[in-house]
Amino acid sequence: MRNPPLHRYATRPGLYFTEDGGADAIVRSETADQVWLCVYEPVTRPSAFYSDSIQVLDGKATCMLRHIHTHDRSTRIVQSLGMRETLFRMSGPNYGLWYVHLPKAWDGMRYGYRVDGAWDPKHGVRFNPYKLLLDPYAKGIDGHMELTPAAFSYTCDVVDNVVKGSAFDGMSTIDSLGSVPVSVAIDDRDTSKHVGDPTHPHVPWSKTVIYELHVKGFTANAPWLPEELRGTYAGLAHPQTLSYLQRLGVTSIELLPIQAKQDELHVRENGLTNYWGYSTLGYFSPEPSYATEASRSQGAKAVRQEVIDMVHALHEAGLEVIMDVVYNHTCEGGPEGPTVCWRGLDELSYYRRMKDNPGILEDTTGCGNTMDFTNTHVVTYAIDSLRYWAKRIGIDGFRFDLAASLARLDGEFTHHHPFLYALRSDLLLGNLKLIMEPWDLGNAGWRTGQFGSPFAEWNDRFRDTTRKFWLSDAEKSPTANAVGMQDMATRLCGSADLFATEPGRGATSSINYVVSHDGFTLSDLTMYSRKHNQANGENNTDGSDINNSANFGVEGPSNDPEICERRERAALNMLGTLLLSLGTPMLAAGDEFGNSQRGNNNAYCQDNDISWLQWDWLDKDEPSPQLSRMRSVARLVSIRKSLDLYHHEDFFTRLTQLGLFKQSSRVQWFLPDGTTPMERDWFDTEIRAFTMRLTSNDEVNILIVINGDAGAQSFRLPQDSEWRCLWTSAGDDADAVPEQPEGWDIPGRSICLMRQIV
């Protein structure tokens, strides 16, 4: 497909290769006085732009800036970097866009922008032509930011790895070239680029089981991989990695952010790195550090190809790929942060700011800045990025970090936000899996269940209820129980109280989870009653203090067999609740074999063995607790996938067209003695033992038997059928057939799944 000729009404920024061997460069800056496109070449080769460039003999930035205001094309040599910089003055702004046509352009070309304009920090204007800026639409990024004064638009010093200075003082005149990353052009005009691509799995929501993992951490210690593939995109695409994921039975892999990232200022000052990646540097470029050394040495295009190959391999294995994306804020942080892209291009347009003090950024993310999704062009920017990842890379869905910040107008959340409408109405994006993290740190930031169709949402109520029932409440005296039968029943049935917000919205909108990347691992929930985040360098003040965890008498690991047995049963109880509830279950990588983060519940900056999964158990021939749990989880997933009772999107309590709740005949409830609960029983939090029966005219019935009490209970099962135990957290009664009509003895604090014998 040929690109249309450049004209003043072009609406999409970016760098577009043209048929004449050049490229059209377009960038948005609504308030700049002048913008230059900068192209970088090694001094060891002749320049592609020698003929028409005015050479600046003194390579210093101050001399260069005097020239570029009067010449359309200037070039200088920066001897210390072995680099030639050629600057092309762009025309504009036309509708906020600046344009230039490069007579020559090539795949792998390194480039960036410089922008000049007013310096008025108190009014949120910080233009500084001494700072090299990334192209927001760059498909590749090379290099990283150094923690030096050059990376900041204001005058500052770096003393003992700490930045000293005020963002509201004078403008820095230190050239940032060599201290910040540069953009890399990728020519992907090949019309046959999707030929031979594997078919997308297109797993229905009703059959989806999500598995959240970190690309690097999942395989950094993988014994089945050669050293050069560990912690890489290629390592995740390795046949043995895919075989493990298939063995577990999950359907959809949710990747922690793989868009290019940059460490936040305070993380750099602490000598750490942002391991999770929720600090985006480029919304079109993949994170290079997760690529193999071979791909990195070949450049940005090879890095991107490794990502594409990974997605293709997952698709061929029948697995969907969901990307965690962070559009709520950028890596530049607050005003005191570095200037690498958006701040230098047009801070007023990209970031939300206080109405009565435009020099101060609004922060509903806790990360120093918040992208301004009231600006149409910011919405367009995000949509363009998402479409690129879906169409060019092959991504099957997206999970939006702190999504409430993306749906605020005049500071207040609304599910009628233009960004949400843009996602719904887009012919490509609207048919993908779209998952919202439904909260932020702003006013009335908790919005679980309020995004509406077609969005799914993380269900924190499911997380908290499950943890309380099996952990924190169970360790208290019986009279202190806060979660009883009604709360558990609501979560088991798909959380209609939260997600039946409009007719047609189903239970699969609820992303049920007990553990995610953020917080304790599943095993740590049973080993630690408090967080242990000292390694993060924040005096253990970071991370949540409310975890609803329990240590069962010992803080940390224990060799006591009784404690270990209680912990393991508690973990299986939570996994059983997760995988036997209506909704869309999400597992966190490593929980299926008992991975631990040593009590760290905010390991975002731990790019080491604290966060990396430990696979040493996998090579052992003898039985192990890890293998036992892994097999138990795989069996649960397999059972869930085999039961048609779960393959629908209806709530068992449904919302009618009139907006009234209607009880479903597909679920029945029994107390241990076989009687139906009375109304008072539902509100009695001391009742922690009950049976849930799922029924259907054309499918076999199943029973979920829950004993939340400390002691064993005898359950009288429905006598119209015989029942077989398919799975139990007690671990030794699977496939047993209870005698009739006396019932079935269920050990204390355990869950059992039974199937009707026909």
Side-chain angles (χ1 to χ4, degrees):
M1 176 180 177
R2 295 196 174 195
N3 289 311
L6 181 67
H7 57 81
R8 63 171 295 180
Y9 299 109
T11 60
R12 287 294 191 272
L15 190 140
Y16 304 96
F17 286 88
T18 53
E19 300 301 326
D20 61 358
D24 294 332
I26 309 167
V27 69
R28 176 171 294 281
S29 182
E30 299 178 22
T31 52
D33 292 340
Q34 185 59 59
V35 181
W36 294 269
L37 171 68
C38 313
V39 178
Y40 300 96
E41 303 169 280
V43 296
T44 54
R45 289 185 295 205
S47 172
F49 311 109
Y50 173 75
S51 300
D52 300 317
S53 298
I54 305 299
Q55 186 169 351
V56 181
L57 297 179
D58 188 337
K60 295 180 180 178
T62 51
C63 297
M64 172 196 67
L65 292 176
R66 287 198 297 268
H67 279 261
I68 61 178
H69 282 281
T70 55
H71 300 286
D72 287 340
R73 189 182 304 177
S74 304
T75 188
R76 65 160 179 157
I77 291 177
V78 185
Q79 201 66 47
S80 61
L81 299 174
M83 184 184 301
R84 179 185 291 107
E85 180 181 29
T86 303
L87 296 95
F88 299 82
R89 188 165 64 176
M90 304 182 77
S91 61
N94 291 321
Y95 302 98
L97 297 176
W98 296 79
Y99 311 86
V100 73
H101 178 71
L102 280 177
K104 296 180 181 178
W106 55 94
D107 196 50
M109 181 180 73
R110 301 165 81 239
Y111 70 103
Y113 292 100
R114 293 184 186 268
V115 183
D116 201 0
W119 176 263
D120 188 359
K122 292 184 179 179
H123 291 89
V125 181
R126 293 180 171 85
F127 291 113
N128 187 337
Y130 289 91
K131 307 305 168 185
L132 175 65
L133 307 174
L134 289 171
D135 178 2
Y137 279 72
K139 296 175 182 176
I141 292 177
D142 184 30
H144 59 276
M145 187 197 85
E146 302 288 345
L147 189 57
T148 69
F152 300 84
S153 60
Y154 60 93
T155 303
C156 65
D157 292 314
V158 177
V159 181
D160 295 330
N161 214 45
V162 176
V163 178
K164 304 289 186 180
S166 171
F168 298 92
D169 286 345
M171 184 182 80
S172 168
T173 56
I174 304 175
D175 187 9
S176 70
L177 180 61
S179 299
V180 294
V182 298
S183 304
V184 180
I186 295 178
D187 186 356
D188 59 357
R189 289 174 294 170
D190 183 6
T191 57
S192 63
K193 55 178 170 270
H194 290 299
V195 174
D197 286 1
T199 302
H200 290 237
H202 296 301
V203 180
W205 270 116
S206 59
K207 296 184 178 182
T208 299
V209 179
I210 297 174
Y211 188 71
E212 184 195 44
L213 63 81
H214 188 285
V215 166
K216 180 177 183 179
F218 191 71
T219 62
N221 290 320
W224 63 85
L225 293 176
E227 190 68 34
E228 64 271 15
L229 294 186
R230 295 181 182 179
T232 68
Y233 300 116
L236 186 57
H238 190 274
Q240 282 186 253
T241 310
L242 301 175
S243 177
Y244 175 85
L245 295 171
Q246 288 182 335
R247 181 182 174 191
L248 189 59
V250 296
T251 68
S252 308
I253 308 303
E254 183 174 312
L255 305 176
L256 266 67
I258 62 170
Q259 292 172 328
K261 63 176 181 175
Q262 178 172 288
D263 301 331
E264 298 94 328
L265 180 57
H266 79 275
V267 175
R268 291 290 297 272
E269 290 178 335
N270 287 336
L272 299 169
T273 61
N274 187 316
Y275 165 71
W276 285 350
Y278 292 89
S279 188
T280 310
L281 174 66
Y283 289 101
F284 288 76
S285 172
E287 170 55 33
S289 68
Y290 301 156
T292 58
E293 179 60 36
S295 293
R296 293 200 302 271
S297 65
Q298 294 176 49
K301 190 170 186 177
V303 169
R304 189 184 70 162
Q305 188 60 48
E306 188 173 319
V307 176
I308 294 173
D309 292 343
M310 173 193 71
V311 173
H312 287 180
L314 287 162
H315 285 170
E316 287 178 337
L319 299 163
E320 291 183 315
V321 183
I322 299 172
M323 260 179 64
D324 205 334
V325 288
V326 189
Y327 293 97
N328 57 80
H329 74 282
T330 76
C331 66
E332 290 185 318
E336 71 286 347
T339 296
V340 293
C341 183
W342 310 272
R343 173 170 289 128
L345 279 169
D346 198 350
E347 183 175 3
L348 285 173
S349 298
Y350 277 109
Y351 296 134
R352 283 167 44 190
R353 55 195 62 253
M354 299 293 186
K355 292 181 180 179
D356 56 349
N357 190 351
I360 303 298
L361 300 180
E362 282 194 15
D363 182 12
T364 60
T365 66
C367 300
N369 66 58
T370 307
M371 293 282 272
D372 187 3
F373 273 75
T374 64
N375 186 323
T376 301
H377 301 299
V378 172
V379 172
T380 302
Y381 176 44
I383 294 296
D384 288 348
S385 166
L386 293 165
R387 285 186 58 86
Y388 171 77
W389 283 93
K391 187 173 182 179
R392 182 65 190 95
I393 311 299
I395 300 299
D396 302 287
F398 300 94
R399 179 264 187 187
F400 294 86
D401 182 64
L402 297 181
S405 284
L406 310 179
R408 288 184 178 274
L409 289 177
D410 295 327
E412 300 302 320
F413 173 87
T414 173
H415 67 275
H416 299 297
H417 195 282
F419 178 60
L420 302 183
Y421 280 130
L423 290 172
R424 290 186 188 104
S425 59
D426 189 276
L427 291 177
L428 174 59
L429 301 178
N431 288 299
L432 303 182
K433 285 187 165 74
L434 302 175
I435 302 171
M436 300 296 173
E437 183 184 38
W439 49 77
D440 67 5
L441 301 182
N443 179 49
W446 185 81
R447 295 289 173 172
T448 306
Q450 300 177 34
F451 279 80
S453 295
F455 305 112
E457 304 172 41
W458 276 23
N459 186 349
D460 56 316
R461 287 281 183 86
F462 183 96
R463 174 198 66 196
D464 295 344
T465 298
T466 304
R467 290 185 183 187
K468 287 179 181 179
F469 186 84
W470 292 115
L471 293 177
S472 57
D473 285 357
E475 290 300 288
K476 299 174 184 176
S477 63
T479 57
N481 293 328
V483 173
M485 183 170 59
Q486 183 180 29
D487 287 338
M488 282 294 286
T490 302
R491 304 306 151 220
L492 287 164
C493 286
S495 297
D497 61 327
L498 297 173
F499 294 96
T501 54
E502 56 193 52
R505 195 178 194 203
T508 52
S509 298
S510 172
I511 304 297
N512 297 335
Y513 72 106
V514 179
V515 164
S516 69
H517 67 276
D518 188 1
F520 281 141
T521 68
L522 189 71
S523 285
D524 284 356
L525 279 176
T526 70
M527 289 197 294
Y528 298 92
S529 60
R530 60 187 185 278
K531 64 187 181 184
H532 296 267
N533 298 355
Q534 289 81 3
N536 296 353
E538 300 179 44
N539 298 315
N540 207 34
T541 59
D542 62 305
S544 176
D545 292 316
I546 303 174
N547 299 287
N548 295 309
S549 61
N551 64 17
F552 292 87
V554 174
E555 187 74 0
S558 172
N559 293 322
D560 186 315
E562 182 179 350
I563 291 176
C564 292
E565 193 279 333
R566 291 174 63 199
R567 287 175 171 178
E568 183 63 18
R569 184 174 297 186
L572 291 176
N573 286 335
M574 292 185 285
L575 288 166
T577 304
L578 172 67
L579 289 165
L580 298 178
S581 295
L582 288 181
T584 303
M586 183 183 79
L587 293 161
D591 285 343
E592 74 276 13
F593 60 80
N595 190 64
S596 172
Q597 293 177 170
R598 306 171 197 171
N600 193 321
N601 75 347
N602 189 35
Y604 75 102
C605 56
Q606 299 302 320
D607 191 1
N608 50 51
D609 279 342
I610 291 177
S611 294
W612 300 346
L613 300 192
Q614 305 301 318
W615 297 98
D616 52 329
W617 60 274
L618 203 57
D619 283 338
K620 298 178 180 178
D621 294 329
E622 66 273 11
S624 65
Q626 295 92 338
L627 181 60
S628 176
R629 183 181 305 176
M630 189 269 181
R631 288 175 173 171
S632 188
V633 173
R635 180 167 184 169
L636 264 176
V637 174
S638 178
I639 290 171
R640 179 187 177 93
K641 293 167 74 172
S642 70
L643 294 174
D644 289 338
L645 279 165
Y646 286 97
H647 300 163
H648 61 85
E649 299 191 13
D650 294 338
F651 294 102
F652 285 144
T653 303
R654 302 179 60 193
L655 194 71
T656 69
Q657 294 291 330
L658 298 176
L660 302 175
F661 283 108
K662 179 182 179 182
Q663 192 66 34
S664 171
S665 60
R666 298 184 64 181
V667 61
Q668 299 170 1
W669 303 95
F670 305 98
L671 296 175
D673 62 6
T675 62
T676 301
M678 306 294 289
E679 184 175 356
R680 65 177 180 273
D681 296 324
W682 289 105
F683 298 96
D684 185 350
T685 57
E686 292 188 36
I687 296 179
R688 296 169 52 80
F690 58 91
T691 298
M692 174 184 182
R693 180 177 186 175
L694 303 184
T695 67
S696 173
N697 292 329
D698 53 0
E699 302 167 27
V700 295
N701 292 194
I702 63 172
L703 300 178
I704 300 170
V705 185
I706 290 178
N707 183 8
D709 290 326
Q713 284 262 24
S714 180
F715 283 76
R716 188 176 181 84
L717 307 181
Q719 299 180 40
D720 57 357
S721 301
E722 292 185 352
W723 305 92
R724 179 182 298 279
C725 180
L726 295 182
W727 179 90
T728 173
S729 62
D732 56 0
D733 291 321
D735 292 324
V737 180
E739 296 180 3
Q740 299 290 344
E742 290 82 2
W744 184 244
D745 289 334
I746 303 294
R749 292 176 186 165
S750 63
I751 182 172
C752 179
L753 173 66
M754 313 195 76
R755 182 173 182 171
Q756 184 180 31
I757 298 176
V758 293

